[in-house]
Amino acid sequence: MEDVVSLEAGSATAQVALYGSTVIAWRPKKSTESLLFMSKKDVAGKPYRGGIPLVFPLFGAVSDHSDVPQTLSKAPRHGFARDRRWKTIDFNGDRVTMSLTTQDYPELRDGYPFDFELHHSILLTETALECTLKVKHLSSSQNDEMAFHALFHNYLALPSQSTKVAGLQGRSYRDKLQGGKVLQESQDTCSYVEPKDSVYLGGAPTLRIGEAIELKRSETLPDTTLWNPGKEAGDGMSDLHNGGWKEFVCAEPGHVASFVHLAKGQEVCPPLCASRVLLLLGC
Ligand SMILES: O=P(O)(O)OC[C@H]1O[C@H](O)[C@H](O)[C@@H](O)[C@@H]1O
């Protein structure tokens, strides 16, 4: 089985790695390069530092949250979906669906006592990339309610020093660099000039990132994290090339400010978590 699935739609292309079901490249029509940042440094055994890693079932570290249920108390940082090999269950040229299940990985139940299925579908069109994550809590679980966070960790190949994000004015946000202090966004655009690590609660369903990218998200993804490590932390990251922090901004739609509680046997779709990223200009 190939490690990477290639998608094509007219002259647009995308690549999805089985490792983490990570979209590692996305080139819409008329674009000569991928619009997704990818680090030039590869550290074996670590998730991709770039593309669109998936965060599930915990965002950040256990210590970042005051409401972590017992069932998530052993979850690794950003969960386990981004560093497991997923399985391709459907492929059709411009669309692929991959799965991660406790049937394939029974050992996941040791730290997260649920039976579940994750299905991640990626659809490419000439101008857009649409990612949909479906979460199913199977009735064979020991526990009645499965708690989780989910997030699409989009690394967009845009200059961190000049890119602005529109659509978050007036929203509350948790500034993770100030211990989670809740502030209100007064600016009509947000920038990444300083280190940035903020979880915005709500906001317009479509965010404009820079000049050319629109990020659309479903109602099931109410939060958006904006992150760039800045120079000091960025240059200290073992999996990021020197100066790499200047080459990306992360705009991450998710359900991470609180936990989703999914009853046993219940499937929330369509879709529980859907993130749509599309090229607005230049096509
Ligand atoms: O280094 P990672 O585990 O991939 O996390 C990278 C970043 O992800 C998110 O954006 C978080 O809000 C940040 O706090 C974190 O630093």
Side-chain angles (χ1 to χ4, degrees):
M1 185 65 209
E2 294 288 319
D3 285 338
V4 172
V5 175
S6 296
L7 304 180
E8 279 184 20
S11 58
T13 59
Q15 291 192 310
V16 189
L18 267 62
Y19 187 69
S21 191
T22 312
V23 182
I24 53 172
W26 168 44
R27 191 182 55 70
K29 117 180 152 170
K30 291 195 182 165
S31 178
T32 50
E33 291 180 355
S34 173
L35 299 187
L36 299 177
F37 168 85
M38 183 55 69
S39 173
K40 293 176 186 147
K41 247 180 162 180
D42 190 12
V43 178
K46 285 199 89 175
Y48 283 101
R49 178 67 68 196
I52 311 180
L54 289 175
V55 168
F56 177 93
L58 180 74
F59 176 61
V62 170
S63 57
D64 290 345
H65 307 275
S66 57
D67 58 345
V68 176
Q70 183 59 27
T71 51
L72 274 164
S73 58
K74 292 186 196 149
R77 181 182 167 75
H78 285 342
F80 46 68
R82 64 178 180 165
D83 56 6
R84 289 289 180 299
R85 187 181 167 90
W86 292 49
K87 199 161 78 180
T88 299
I89 54 172
D90 190 33
F91 172 62
N92 186 11
D94 60 356
R95 178 195 292 266
V96 64
T97 299
M98 295 180 179
S99 74
L100 182 77
T101 70
T102 37
Q103 196 174 5
D104 291 338
Y105 288 100
E107 69 275 16
L108 288 177
R109 291 193 205 102
D110 295 343
Y112 187 54
F114 302 99
D115 281 306
F116 63 83
E117 279 177 14
L118 304 184
H119 284 186
H120 182 211
S121 301
I122 301 105
L123 169 67
L124 179 72
T125 66
E126 288 206 301
T127 57
L129 183 75
E130 183 172 348
C131 302
T132 306
L133 181 69
K134 291 184 185 170
V135 182
K136 194 169 183 176
H137 179 192
L138 302 175
S139 53
S140 48
S141 285
Q142 305 266 322
N143 291 291
D144 284 338
E145 276 204 337
M146 185 168 97
F148 63 88
H149 292 148
L151 172 138
F152 295 88
H153 205 304
N154 300 318
Y155 284 80
L156 302 171
L158 294 169
S160 61
Q161 300 294 280
S162 56
T163 297
K164 296 194 184 309
V165 177
L168 293 167
Q169 191 175 30
R171 306 312 306 190
S172 300
Y173 65 96
R174 292 185 191 161
D175 187 338
K176 293 176 74 174
L177 300 175
Q178 294 191 58
K181 190 171 174 185
V182 178
L183 301 167
Q184 194 155 27
E185 184 57 66
S186 57
Q187 308 292 319
D188 58 351
T189 58
C190 312
S191 69
Y192 296 83
V193 176
E194 303 293 333
K196 176 88 177 163
D197 196 355
S198 300
V199 181
Y200 285 82
L201 314 176
T206 300
L207 302 182
R208 178 78 169 266
I209 323 277
E211 296 295 313
I213 292 181
E214 264 190 8
L215 180 71
K216 291 194 178 192
R217 61 209 158 89
S218 62
E219 287 173 8
T220 49
L221 297 171
D223 315 312
T224 307
T225 299
L226 303 186
W227 175 65
N228 180 274
K231 178 172 171 49
E232 198 179 330
D235 282 343
M237 290 169 78
S238 60
D239 56 358
L240 191 59
H241 57 269
N242 205 21
W245 61 275
K246 290 185 205 161
E247 300 166 20
F248 71 87
V249 298
C250 283
E252 312 160 21
H255 195 308
V256 297
S258 62
F259 287 92
V260 180
H261 293 273
L262 194 57
K264 200 165 16 181
Q266 181 189 356
E267 181 180 8
V268 181
C269 81
L272 172 61
C273 307
S275 156
R276 188 158 191 249
V277 186
L278 67 97
L279 194 71
L280 178 72
L281 302 177
C283 285

